[in-house]
Amino acid sequence: MSMDDRNRRTALAAMFVLPVGMAMASQASAASKGKKPMDMAQRLDVIESKQAITELLYAYARANDRADEALLKSCFWPESTHKHGKFEGKSLDFVGFAFKIVATLKYACHHISNVAVEVQGDRAFSECYYFAQHRRDRKEGGGEEDVFFQGRYLDDLERRNGEWRIIRRRGLSDYTSPPQPAATPYADWPAGQHSEKFPSDDYYRMRQQYMGV
C-alpha cells in the first residue's frame, strides 16, 4: 500500500471517528453536570420547538406591522402576563393597548433578531432583540414623523396540545429616537408598491392562493 493510500484511509477514518467522539464528549459533559443525555427524539423535539418559537416571535412582529389583531392575540395564552414600559397586567390587555397605537400608524416595521431559545420539555425561555419604525401623524400637527425604537423581549413560553405560546413577557425599551419630521407624506408613496395592513396587504392574498383557499 502506498503512502498516499495510507494517508487517505487515515483521513477518512478521522472523518468518521470525529463526530462519534464529539457526541461522546457531549454526553460525558452532560453527565458530569447531572443531566441525562438526550436521545435522538428529544434532540429533534428541541430543534423543532426552537423553530416554532422563533416563528412565533416573527408572527408577533408581523401582527404589529399589518395591524392584525387576531394574529397578535394568538401569540399569547389567555392568562399570560405582560410588563413593558408603564404597562403591567394581562398580555391580552396589552394587545388591546398596543393595537390602538399600531392601528393608527401610517406604516410600521418591526425587526426581530438575536433570537436565543432554551427548551425544557413543554416549557421554554427565549430572548430576542427588536428594532421598530413607526410612521405617524405629528403630535404637534402638520405633517408626519418617524420614530425608531430598540429593545428586547424576554419570554416564558408553554406548549399545550403541541402549540407554543407566550405565558409571560418582559419587554425592555432601550432606546426611543426623537421624532423625525418626514419629508414625504405616506399618502404620496407610489400606490401598489408598498406594504399595507390587514386584510389588504398582499401577504394575505398570496398566502390564501398558496394554501389553495
Side-chain angles (χ1 to χ4, degrees):
M1 181 183 298
S2 68
M3 183 62 70
D4 288 342
D5 288 338
R6 290 195 185 95
N7 290 340
R8 282 196 292 269
R9 290 192 176 187
T10 300
L12 286 171
M15 291 175 62
F16 287 107
V17 170
L18 182 59
V20 175
M22 291 177 65
M24 292 177 64
S26 177
Q27 291 181 355
S29 177
S32 68
K33 296 178 181 178
K35 296 180 180 179
K36 183 179 179 180
M38 292 187 295
D39 59 27
M40 182 64 73
Q42 291 171 321
R43 292 198 296 270
L44 181 59
D45 180 67
V46 168
I47 293 171
E48 290 180 340
S49 295
K50 288 184 176 184
Q51 181 63 32
I53 290 168
T54 300
E55 291 179 5
L56 176 70
L57 298 172
Y58 292 159
Y60 180 82
R62 183 190 304 117
N64 278 283
D65 295 341
R66 306 282 73 80
D68 188 336
E69 188 173 14
L71 179 59
L72 200 58
K73 289 180 177 178
S74 73
C75 297
F76 303 93
W77 291 117
E79 69 273 32
S80 176
T81 59
H82 219 98
K83 184 176 181 181
H84 195 160
K86 296 180 180 179
F87 182 93
E88 186 168 3
K90 293 290 187 180
S91 294
L92 293 184
D93 291 335
F94 180 84
V95 168
F97 164 77
F99 192 77
K100 291 178 181 178
I101 297 174
V102 298
T104 63
L105 296 176
K106 306 292 185 180
Y107 166 80
C109 186
H110 293 74
H111 298 274
I112 299 294
S113 66
N114 297 56
V115 178
V117 183
E118 300 176 36
V119 179
Q120 292 187 8
D122 291 329
R123 297 172 55 248
F125 174 72
S126 72
E127 174 196 45
C128 68
Y129 287 66
Y130 68 82
F131 177 80
Q133 175 189 357
H134 288 183
R135 166 64 66 89
R136 66 193 187 191
D137 289 323
R138 295 189 66 184
K139 292 186 176 181
E140 296 79 6
E144 297 172 2
E145 62 188 15
D146 290 304
V147 183
F148 300 87
F149 309 88
Q150 292 186 46
R152 291 185 298 148
Y153 297 132
L154 306 177
D155 295 320
D156 287 322
L157 303 101
E158 288 185 3
R159 176 170 53 184
R160 303 176 186 176
N161 297 319
E163 180 181 9
W164 286 100
R165 292 192 191 188
I166 298 166
I167 190 66
R168 180 175 67 160
R169 164 161 286 187
R170 176 70 170 105
L172 300 168
S173 301
D174 297 323
Y175 173 75
T176 300
S177 74
Q180 302 179 18
T184 305
Y186 183 82
D188 290 348
W189 294 11
Q193 296 184 25
H194 53 78
S195 300
E196 299 184 25
K197 297 179 181 179
F198 172 83
S200 302
D201 189 76
D202 283 344
Y203 169 85
Y204 299 95
R205 176 182 58 79
M206 293 179 66
R207 188 170 186 274
Q208 285 183 340
Q209 292 175 347
Y210 166 74
M211 298 295 292
V213 178

